[in-house]
């Protein structure tokens, strides 16, 4: 049977302006050691990964939980987590 999991990058942004914030190291330093949230090359990003699933409905629930965890951790660091790999705003 085939299995599937998802890795997703999040851009860490100011909740009001959408400007990227370099708080990835702060988030990862306080993240649980279970590896669900990990650092990315850019300090304005973090990554999450679901568990491996056999069914799409359980995968979807896990992905939603990962997104909530990422945003909660970002909020604690004064940012929001957007499921974007790069900023849509002009530099």
């Amino acid at each position: 049977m085939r299995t599937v999991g998802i890795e997703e990058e999040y851009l860490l942004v100011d909740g009001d302006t959408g400007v990227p914030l370099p708080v990835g190291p702060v988030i990862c330093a306080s993240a649980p050691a279970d590896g669900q949230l990990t650092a990315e090359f850019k300090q304005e990003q973090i990554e999450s990964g679901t568990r491996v699933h056999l069914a799409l409905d359980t995968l979807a629930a896990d992905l939603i939980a990962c997104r909530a965890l990422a945003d909660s951790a970002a909020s604690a660091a004064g940012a929001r987590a957007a499921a974007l790999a790069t900023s849509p705003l002009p530099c």
Side-chain angles (χ1 to χ4, degrees), residues 9-83:
E9 286 78 30
Y10 304 93
L11 184 65
L12 304 167
V13 299
D14 180 282
D16 294 323
T17 65
V19 172
L21 298 174
V23 295
V26 172
I27 292 169
C28 290
S30 61
D34 62 7
Q36 267 195 303
L37 293 179
T38 57
E40 280 289 308
F41 179 71
K42 294 181 180 179
Q43 292 185 5
E44 296 85 1
Q45 291 179 297
I46 56 172
E47 179 178 286
S48 73
T50 66
R51 294 177 306 280
V52 176
H53 293 269
L54 293 171
L56 293 180
D57 58 339
T58 58
L59 174 65
D62 197 4
L63 180 61
I64 290 167
C66 284
R67 287 180 173 180
L69 175 65
D71 195 46
S72 176
S75 292
R80 298 296 309 266

